[in-house]
Amino acid sequence: MNADRFVADRAEAWAELDSLLSDAGGRAGKLEPDEIHRLGALYRSAAADLALANRAWPDAAGTIRLQSLVIRANAVVYSRAGRNATAGEYLGRRLWQEIRALKGCLALSAAFLFGSVLLGVLWGAVQPSVAVGLLPAGFHASAHSHGSFYNFSIAGRGGLAVAIFVNNIEVSVLAMAGGLSGGLLTAVSLSYNGAIVGVLGALEWRAGGLGSFLSLVLPHGLLELSCITLAGAAGFAIAKALIDPGMYSRSEALTRITPMLGSVILGVMMFLVVAGTTEGIVTPWDLPTPAAPAVGLALAGAFWAMVLLKGAPAASASRTPGRRQALTR
């Protein structure tokens, strides 16, 4: 095989690598996850080709062009991910892409949490005297009263807001850390806390205080449940890395999801603060029932809209024929 034949045989792969490097613009973080994996594979192949070309045809024009390509690729592949990304770029897109990449785990987490809410509603409606035993100490419920048992004074709601905020942090941490148990503790945490919400709603309905309950819970509760769902998804992602790491070792699989876990922690904390602020400011207003769901849907809707829209993969730049021919000229 001569140098021309060697270059012709490998030109397509080299051109694809050149195209990805142009799209990356010096930063692998600009590429989609599948493109980053492809970049690594093409770089390794090109480096092997360069080793062969340097031995067989060290002065050939194709070898010199290939050497330049491998040097460019090395700088991108071994650059620190996101080192040039601004906070605005990260919060504006990358954070949401990391969250959206959890889509399967998000669906599983939502199924446990909101499925348990529904089961809690059914249980509280059918067997209130038994279901009330699920509630934590401090909830003095009476399924036979004619008024709402969840009737806190405005002064008391300030302390309640702090207590619920702290509880949500604890639930989120447990849901995430539960992944180390293979996801068992994650599933239990999501199911238990979802069932509590459902039972509370059902008992309030039976006591005639559903409107007050919804006005108190909905403005901040939908966003809080979204945050807990996200934390649970991270827990299931950890469990997957431990149970089914694929071609990687378990430690490697956990290392690969570390950036995602950091994004989840940041996202959960940011939006729990938003929910807690809403709880402390909006809840004392005693919003009417139609307004309370509107506030809750607006906050939770904004969160999921960011996941769906900002987390969507960016359109890959077109691969033009000119790029494919660049290395063969």
Side-chain angles (χ1 to χ4, degrees):
M1 179 184 294
N2 59 31
D4 291 339
R5 178 64 181 275
F6 177 76
V7 171
D9 286 348
R10 290 160 173 79
E12 185 173 355
W14 297 348
E16 184 181 359
L17 176 58
D18 181 54
S19 179
L20 284 173
L21 292 174
S22 297
D23 291 342
R27 289 165 49 192
K30 288 186 175 181
L31 301 176
E32 298 304 313
D34 58 334
E35 291 180 318
I36 293 175
H37 289 305
R38 182 63 177 159
L39 174 67
L42 289 170
Y43 165 70
R44 290 191 295 271
S45 176
D49 290 341
L50 179 61
L52 175 59
N54 276 331
R55 186 178 66 222
W57 312 286
D59 299 321
T63 301
I64 295 172
R65 290 195 295 272
L66 176 59
Q67 184 176 28
S68 176
L69 176 67
V70 171
I71 291 173
R72 286 173 55 209
N74 179 274
V76 174
V77 169
Y78 289 102
S79 64
R80 292 180 58 189
R83 65 180 177 183
N84 296 319
T86 65
E89 290 172 335
Y90 177 75
L91 294 175
R93 178 165 294 275
R94 194 64 193 174
L95 168 66
W96 306 104
Q97 289 176 332
E98 296 280 7
I99 292 174
R100 179 164 168 161
L102 282 167
K103 52 189 175 182
C105 294
L106 278 171
L108 181 60
S109 180
F112 272 102
L113 183 61
F114 291 98
S116 298
V117 171
L118 179 58
L119 291 175
V121 169
L122 295 175
W123 189 22
V126 175
Q127 293 183 311
S129 60
V130 178
V132 73
L134 182 71
L135 302 182
F139 287 91
H140 302 291
S142 174
H144 304 291
S145 68
H146 297 287
S148 170
F149 65 81
Y150 205 73
N151 186 19
F152 294 93
S153 66
I154 296 299
R157 288 180 186 180
L160 176 67
V162 174
I164 293 178
F165 178 69
V166 172
N167 176 75
N168 287 332
I169 293 177
E170 293 174 348
V171 171
S172 298
V173 170
L174 180 59
M176 188 180 299
L180 296 174
S181 68
L184 179 61
L185 289 180
T186 299
V188 170
S189 177
L190 293 171
S191 299
Y192 175 68
N193 286 279
I196 287 177
V197 174
V199 168
L200 277 171
L203 294 179
E204 280 285 7
W205 168 69
R206 289 183 62 91
L210 183 60
S212 298
F213 174 77
L214 294 179
S215 295
L216 179 66
V217 170
L218 287 182
H220 59 86
L222 294 178
L223 183 56
E224 288 172 346
L225 291 176
S226 298
C227 291
I228 292 172
T229 298
L230 177 56
F236 286 128
I238 293 173
K240 184 178 185 301
L242 293 175
I243 297 172
D244 182 23
M247 67 179 68
Y248 305 100
S249 67
R250 288 181 173 84
S251 61
E252 289 172 337
L254 288 172
T255 299
R256 288 173 61 83
I257 66 172
T258 298
M260 175 275 296
L261 295 177
S263 295
V264 167
I265 293 172
L266 177 61
V268 168
M269 293 306 299
M270 284 195 312
F271 282 93
L272 279 181
V273 169
V274 172
T277 302
T278 303
E279 190 173 355
I281 296 176
V282 176
T283 297
W285 294 351
D286 284 322
L287 294 176
T289 301
V295 173
L297 289 172
L299 291 175
F303 174 83
W304 291 110
M306 293 291 283
V307 173
L308 292 174
L309 299 178
K310 291 294 187 178
S316 299
S318 60
R319 309 288 191 249
T320 62
R323 287 183 183 174
R324 294 196 173 215
Q325 298 170 4
L327 293 173
T328 60
R329 292 173 184 163

